[in-house]
Structures are given as C-alpha cells and as structure tokens.
Amino acid sequence: MTTHTIVTRIVPDSALLYWSATVLVAAELVVGGWWDIARTSNVREVIVHLGYPTYFLVILGVWKLLGAAALLLPRFPLVKEWAYAGALFVYTGAVASHLTTGYKLIEVPILTVMAALTVISWASRPADRRIGSGRPGRSDNSAIT
C-alpha cells in the first residue's frame, strides 16, 4: 500500500484540499493580524504608502484574528461566510491598492494567491460548515448556532 493510498483512505481529497487552503488562509490572517495590531514597521510603511491611516491597521488586525478563529472553529456557518467575505475583501482590496499606487507590486501575486486560497477554502468546505447544511433536527434558522 502506497503512502498516497493510506492518506486518501484517512483524509478524502476534498477534505485535504479544504483543510490545506483553510489552514494557509487562517495562518496568514493570524500572522498578519498580529503584525497589524502591533503596527510593525513593515506594515506601517506599506499602509502609509498605500494612503491609509495607521489606526486602520488595528481595525484590520482585530478582524483578521476574529476571521481566522471563525474559519477554524466548528459551527457558526453564517459567521464563517462573513469571515470568508472579509478575507476576500482584504486580499482583493490590497491588490487594488497596490495596483492603484504602484507601490510594492511584488506583493500582488502573493495577495492574488491568498484570494484564490480563500475561494478554494470556501468552495471546498464540508457540508457541516455551510449555511443551511443543517444537522439532523435543525432548521435553516439556526445558521448562527
């Protein structure tokens, strides 16, 4: 029996895709969130060159940390939907900001990959992490529980 066979019997390909994309997005949100809240010199430099006030970093950082938690923790599918939307707004907004200002264009491919990983995570998430997937005995009105 090959390693691939063992892995696919334990973790189906769709689950492997979902968790790989989700962990990468969540890790970037956690690291980026901490850097934003701490207003490290590198993120402060970027945000100022892009034309945003530095207090914006704290707001973004807090939401990034909350978004990462929402993506990783079980339940709360409606909150997960908002977290996915927020992450996609962050990455696509950063791409637009870099392209508009022409500053640090080297970051655009990385941000594009992060946006793609966010979409992959959202599209490949298991049924129990979707709105209205419903556990037995639950109605669609329980999306936030």
Side-chain angles (χ1 to χ4, degrees), residues 55-124:
Y55 69 81
F56 193 54
L57 288 170
V58 176
I59 297 167
L60 278 176
V62 168
W63 285 111
K64 285 179 182 180
L65 293 176
L66 292 171
L71 294 180
L72 293 174
L73 294 174
R75 300 181 52 192
F76 308 109
L78 182 61
V79 177
K80 287 181 193 323
E81 290 290 323
W82 281 92
Y84 280 119
L88 195 61
F89 296 159
V90 164
Y91 298 130
T92 57
V95 167
S97 295
H98 283 280
L99 291 175
T100 301
T101 63
Y103 183 71
K104 287 201 174 186
L105 294 176
I106 192 77
E107 293 187 15
V108 170
I110 297 164
L111 294 164
T112 304
V113 167
M114 293 310 301
L117 285 170
T118 302
V119 172
I120 290 168
S121 173
W122 175 83
S124 65

Side-chain angles (χ1 to χ4, degrees), residues 4-58:
H4 177 70
T5 306
I6 294 168
V7 169
T8 55
R9 284 187 181 179
I10 297 170
V11 180
D13 290 339
S14 60
L16 186 61
L17 177 66
Y18 167 74
W19 281 110
S20 297
T22 303
V23 166
L24 288 171
V25 170
E28 194 285 328
L29 290 172
V30 168
V31 171
W34 281 122
W35 287 353
D36 290 352
I37 291 169
R39 297 188 210 187
T40 61
S41 60
N42 58 331
V43 295
R44 209 171 43 246
E45 175 191 335
V46 171
I47 206 88
V48 167
H49 275 89
L50 294 177
Y52 298 104
T54 57
Y55 69 81
F56 193 54
L57 288 170
V58 176

